[in-house]
Amino acid sequence: MLIQRTVVSAGFLLILSAGLCIAKPIENEMNQKIDDLLSQMTLEEKVGQLHQIGGSFATGPDFKNDANREALVRNGWIGSFLNIVDLGYMRELQRLAVEESRMKIPLMFALDVVHGYKTIFPVPLAQAASWDPDLIEKAERVAATEAAASGIHWTFAPMVDIARDPRWGRVMEGSGEDPCLGSRIAEARVRGFQGEDLSAENTILACAKHFAAYGAAEGGRDYNTVDLSELVLREVYLPPFQAVVDAGVASVMNSFNVVFRMPASANALLMNQILKGEWNFQGFVISDWNSYGEMIAHGVAADKYDVACLAMNAGSDVDMQGYVYIDALIPAVKDGKVAEERLNDAVRRFMKMKFKLGLFDDPYGYINPERMKNTLMIKPFQETALKLAHESIVLLKNENHLLPVQKKIGSIAVIGQLADSREFRDMLGNWCAMGDMNDVVTILQGVKKKVSRHTKILYAKGCEAFGQCPDSLIQEAVIAAEESDVVLLALGENGFMSGEATSRAYIGLPGDQIKLAKAVHATGKPIVLLLMTGRPLTIPWCHENIPAIVNIWQAGTMGGQAAADVVFGDVNPSGKLPVTFPLTIGQVPLYYNALNTGRPVGPDGNPHFRSAYIDCPNDPLYPFGFGLSYTAFEYSDLILSSVKIGMNDVLTVRVNVRNTGKRDGIEVVQLYIRDLVGSVSRPLKELKGFERVPLKAGESRQVEFHLTSDALAFWSRSMTFEAEPGDFKVFVGGSSADVLEENFTLE
Ligand code: BGC
């Protein structure tokens, strides 16, 4: 960790630090066994270990529903499957592998367990709004426990791509725009999935994806070209990957894009040099869905033979759905184009994880219907999902304290198809594994459970799915609003509108939901907008006209209950945005840790000859780190332990935070720095630490951060990661745009 956070209050000292690492079985014995196996394996069997194909469903294009699976397993020509979830079938395939194949090497089963297996948590971006890595770790352990009880050994998560462009649908799968927050959450996810012992019942292999810079796709269009400098690659996109490698992540997935004009799957700089070299990654690298095959379309290879050579020699180990290694790697090895030792290395890395999972001891250990039945969706898991949904919710606006709504209110209109939907993954969000819409608590259900017996609830759909709002439905919604004391209006994206292959060129409310919003607004009733989304949306009209806005994201199985807990005040919202919400699409990409430029806009806001728009301000609608509470927090007395520190010193930053309201609350205190003069231009602000601080009404606490020169280091002009002496600013506050500041010098 770059920063150690301490919260100090009368007699209370809490030092938080990270403990990590996957299990260390008896390495020598394991290596010996793998070498024994390798010495007996044919070339075909070695390549077979690196071949992965899909099972029951597709998560990519051109899915060959291979009828030949059993024969492949018997012949030892397959090492793992993805997307098989039928326990009986898994058992049969495993039996074929360990009883009928020559080498008897067990199979691995993989699935995208991205935000829960059966108990679904808020989408990852929403989870990041909790700024609570410990709770996220706990959630991933729940996900791992459910998945491991259902035959799954390996998840394709965490997705740790930094994303600065909300047009890109996969923003929803990551932790937002910031490398520091993203890294802390990424490590927590890996600890949650993998624990300390991979052979335990409640752990599975993690896979950090997509390596690398996938989030930088031009125009926010999925799979598109990426063009960036090595400095930006290392400073912005790589830190979460490095953090998970340090945390012992078992596998890493290639991304689809090019980096320096070379597809990531064939990128020796990324894999051989950085991942396996500089970072000493001991796990294995898997392609994304046919990302090896796609190198032909990228125009860097003519055929599978070329691709196999490029991928292997650059450090890619396992082929998902590409049929490249199985079809072309053997001749490449025979021709000496790929060294057999490189092939052995890939197989060794992969089989090592099978050992760590305990599969060689008990290949059926994860296939246990009884355990599965007793594990899925148990109460404590649902409670964790509810807690994380609470912490993920971000209060964006609350004029005149419209929220919380009294439970005894006379009548309430709940409006919006999304408020009571069991279709299109509406509350679950994309990549929801085995999540079932029938298990979801909808907003309407949550409201019904919450209000008094005397409260009249009027529900109107207002729209059809995908935000299509015919006049007849709008009319019904208007009538419901007119008959109510307050309106809860649920608008936003359904679960298929963000995630993979869901780039959007317009990121307002989908369909004509804005028409519905305007019609309901015209009734003059007080409205609470419950925003459901997997990405930042541009909602300037809503911000100007609707008095209360709560971003509940796509909050998972317990989403509707969590929303009702917040709306009626049983939970005081504490979430903070992990990503900037632009005012309009024309500002994109817009992120808080930008450079200053040579012509920044001055305090007068005049855009003339400035880096500005003539028709729109530079400021976002809601900045990174922003989120309100039902109480208020006041920051004061920002004090540094010294105005000068040396390279080996620790700077202590103290700030007083007071809950000035009448309710208990939790404030996410954020620390940023700015390096005023660097050998290369430095961002205006960079997050370096954060802490969730619970404060009772009227209570104050001194929050303490410890900053070392490591936290001030960056990729300098000589492409060295180093801290440079000079003047810095330090900022502390409850949002990137609302901070106290002080200065210090690094000598
Ligand atoms: C996605 C990956 C995913 C894989 C397997 C691909 O299309 O890009 O994130 O893990 O499919 O489902």
Side-chain angles (χ1 to χ4, degrees):
M1 287 199 41
L2 293 180
I3 211 165
Q4 199 178 53
R5 304 147 302 161
T6 315
V7 178
V8 187
S9 82
F12 173 71
L13 182 77
L14 177 69
I15 298 185
L16 302 136
S17 63
L20 327 158
C21 278
I22 54 172
K24 283 239 177 286
I26 310 131
E27 292 274 343
N28 290 344
E29 202 185 312
M30 179 179 74
N31 292 337
Q32 187 55 53
K33 278 186 187 161
I34 293 174
D35 283 344
D36 285 351
L37 284 171
L38 269 171
S39 66
Q40 297 167 50
M41 287 163 83
T42 62
L43 261 188
E44 285 77 3
E45 284 162 339
K46 290 179 188 174
V47 171
Q49 281 303 304
L50 308 182
H51 182 43
Q52 179 182 83
I53 60 169
S56 326
F57 50 90
T59 40
D62 308 319
F63 175 48
K64 282 190 222 148
N65 202 350
D66 212 317
N68 213 13
R69 283 186 209 116
E70 286 78 1
L72 287 176
V73 175
R74 263 197 210 97
N75 289 335
W77 291 345
I78 192 132
S80 60
F81 284 99
L82 81 152
N83 298 347
I84 295 185
V85 290
D86 172 340
L87 273 195
Y89 190 36
M90 287 161 143
R91 172 171 282 275
E92 174 55 10
L93 291 171
Q94 192 68 296
R95 191 191 66 74
L96 292 175
V98 298
E99 291 179 24
E100 296 193 13
S101 77
R102 194 180 76 89
M103 292 304 300
K104 309 200 180 329
I105 299 172
L107 294 165
M108 259 203 268
F109 294 101
L111 186 76
D112 294 275
V113 181
V114 172
H115 52 116
Y117 178 80
K118 185 80 175 170
T119 304
I120 301 301
F121 295 89
V123 296
L125 183 65
Q127 294 183 24
S130 72
W131 297 55
D132 191 347
D134 294 342
L135 184 58
I136 292 173
E137 177 177 340
K138 196 169 165 196
E140 298 301 27
R141 182 57 54 82
V142 168
T145 309
E146 288 193 342
S150 312
I152 301 300
H153 306 117
W154 172 20
T155 175
F156 298 132
M159 189 277 214
V160 305
D161 295 315
I162 297 299
R164 293 168 154 187
D165 192 329
R167 291 172 295 186
W168 192 51
R170 304 200 80 166
V171 164
M172 161 245 146
E173 293 173 49
S175 294
E177 73 192 35
D178 184 69
C180 170
L181 179 63
S183 299
R184 299 294 78 81
I185 292 176
E187 329 164 313
R189 291 192 192 283
V190 169
R191 288 196 299 269
F193 286 129
Q194 298 193 166
E196 305 247 312
D197 175 6
L198 277 170
S199 69
E201 267 189 16
N202 59 355
T203 57
I204 55 177
L205 302 184
C207 179
K209 66 190 191 185
H210 307 82
F211 195 61
Y214 184 28
E218 283 180 359
R221 211 178 71 215
D222 210 357
Y223 320 120
N224 201 7
T225 304
V226 163
D227 193 5
L228 39 53
S229 64
E230 186 173 342
L231 197 149
V232 169
L233 173 74
R234 287 183 181 269
E235 180 171 308
V236 178
Y237 294 93
L238 293 189
F241 286 99
Q242 186 169 9
V244 292
V245 169
D246 290 345
V249 72
S251 61
V252 166
M253 185 186 291
N254 300 125
S255 57
F256 289 117
N257 52 284
V258 294
V259 172
F260 310 135
R261 294 287 175 99
M262 202 57 190
S265 302
N267 202 304
L269 169 74
L270 286 179
M271 288 176 289
N272 284 344
Q273 187 180 316
I274 297 179
L275 180 66
K276 292 180 173 175
E278 291 172 29
W279 300 348
N280 193 25
F281 171 60
Q282 295 297 310
F284 64 90
V285 178
I286 180 167
S287 72
D288 201 345
W289 181 283
N290 189 32
S291 64
Y292 297 168
E294 290 176 12
M295 283 191 225
I296 296 172
H298 274 295
V300 298
D303 53 25
K304 284 189 178 180
Y305 182 94
D306 274 4
V307 170
C309 298
L310 281 173
M312 260 282 153
N313 290 331
S316 284
D317 300 311
V318 177
D319 178 1
M320 178 205 293
Q321 272 294 135
Y323 294 79
V324 165
Y325 285 175
I326 201 74
D327 291 348
L329 187 51
I330 294 170
V333 173
K334 284 189 176 153
D335 294 349
K337 292 279 166 38
V338 172
E340 189 161 356
E341 194 31 52
R342 169 76 264 271
L343 172 62
N344 289 347
D345 168 56
V347 178
R348 206 178 272 122
R349 285 170 179 269
F350 183 64
M351 291 208 303
K352 198 167 77 180
M353 294 306 164
K354 293 187 171 180
F355 268 100
K356 291 194 175 195
L357 286 165
L359 290 177
F360 282 93
D361 294 331
D362 180 4
Y364 303 107
Y366 293 70
I367 304 174
N368 178 340
E370 194 56 23
R371 192 168 115 217
M372 180 172 172
K373 199 173 100 219
N374 296 331
T375 303
L376 300 188
M377 294 281 292
I378 57 176
K379 197 140 181 276
F381 293 177
Q382 293 186 41
E383 283 163 4
T384 306
L386 179 63
K387 187 161 178 8
L388 190 45
H390 286 151
E391 291 193 9
S392 301
I393 290 175
V394 186
L395 179 63
L396 296 174
K397 185 179 173 192
N398 193 17
E399 210 168 81
N400 300 326
H401 302 285
L402 174 57
L403 285 168
V405 174
Q406 297 299 311
K407 291 178 192 164
K408 283 195 200 134
I409 192 152
S411 58
I412 187 163
V414 179
I415 295 176
Q417 177 265 343
L418 291 173
D420 196 33
S421 167
R422 297 202 176 278
E423 309 172 279
F424 305 113
R425 300 181 175 168
D426 283 352
M427 185 57 93
L428 295 181
N430 220 329
W431 288 117
C432 55
M434 294 300 107
D436 186 341
M437 285 305 292
N438 293 315
D439 293 329
V440 166
V441 181
T442 67
I443 293 172
L444 183 61
Q445 282 178 313
V447 171
K448 281 183 180 162
K449 274 212 207 144
K450 195 66 55 175
V451 293
S452 79
R453 284 189 293 130
H454 308 290
T455 304
K456 189 169 158 203
I457 301 174
L458 301 120
Y459 173 65
K461 224 171 146 188
C463 288
E464 298 293 359
F466 292 85
Q468 301 312 317
C469 312
D471 289 344
S472 57
L473 290 187
I474 293 184
Q475 203 41 44
E476 279 172 29
V478 166
I479 293 169
E482 277 166 348
E483 288 175 15
S484 68
D485 297 325
V486 67
V487 177
L488 299 186
L489 181 61
L491 301 178
E493 293 188 322
N494 72 31
F496 287 112
M497 286 180 176
S498 43
E500 187 174 355
T502 56
S503 296
R504 293 180 57 198
Y506 305 94
I507 54 165
L509 290 170
D512 33 46
Q513 296 178 79
I514 196 72
K515 231 168 91 183
L516 173 67
K518 288 181 178 172
V520 174
H521 176 255
T523 64
K525 296 291 175 168
I527 302 176
V528 177
L529 171 61
L530 299 177
L531 197 63
M532 287 172 64
T533 183
R535 54 146 70 80
L537 295 178
T538 50
I539 50 164
W541 184 89
C542 295
H543 180 73
E544 261 162 41
N545 295 283
I546 294 184
I549 305 179
V550 189
N551 187 16
I552 64 171
W553 311 94
Q554 289 154 341
T557 312
M558 305 304 287
Q561 186 175 330
D565 286 339
V566 166
V567 166
F568 295 98
D570 288 339
V571 167
N572 188 354
S574 58
K576 301 275 187 178
L577 294 177
V579 66
T580 302
F581 273 47
L583 189 60
T584 171
I585 191 80
Q587 295 174 311
V588 168
L590 186 66
Y591 45 91
Y592 86 94
N593 47 357
L595 304 184
N596 199 30
T597 80
R599 293 190 180 188
V601 177
D604 62 0
N606 185 350
H608 198 50
F609 289 128
R610 297 281 147 190
S611 177
Y613 303 97
I614 56 169
D615 54 359
C616 170
N618 284 358
D619 292 337
L621 184 59
Y622 304 117
F624 175 83
F626 171 78
L628 302 169
S629 162
Y630 294 154
T631 188
F633 301 102
E634 189 184 271
Y635 286 73
S636 65
D637 305 311
L638 176 61
I639 297 167
L640 310 190
S641 57
S642 172
V643 289
K644 284 194 169 74
I645 58 163
M647 286 289 173
N648 298 319
D649 296 341
V650 177
L651 180 74
T652 303
V653 180
R654 296 190 181 89
V655 72
N656 223 54
V657 187
R658 194 158 82 87
N659 180 343
T660 57
K662 295 200 176 66
R663 294 183 59 118
D664 300 351
I666 296 171
E667 171 70 333
V668 179
V669 180
Q670 303 156 39
L671 180 142
Y672 300 85
I673 61 143
R674 179 176 176 192
D675 186 342
L676 289 175
V677 180
S679 61
V680 291
S681 183
R682 304 298 307 141
L684 285 165
K685 280 196 185 101
E686 295 175 83
L687 183 75
K688 292 296 171 183
F690 56 89
E691 182 62 59
R692 285 174 59 84
V693 182
L695 286 167
K696 298 213 173 303
E699 187 187 356
S700 309
R701 277 196 187 186
Q702 190 176 64
V703 181
E704 200 171 290
F705 295 90
H706 302 289
L707 212 47
T708 63
S709 61
D710 278 359
L712 309 176
F714 62 96
W715 290 93
S716 66
R717 194 183 306 164
S718 58
M719 282 307 290
T720 312
F721 189 70
E722 58 186 341
E724 293 176 343
D727 293 338
F728 287 80
K729 279 193 182 299
V730 59
F731 312 91
V732 181
S735 146
S736 63
D738 184 12
V739 286
L740 301 177
E741 63 176 78
E742 271 299 340
N743 303 298
F744 72 93
T745 304
L746 176 67
E747 292 185 325

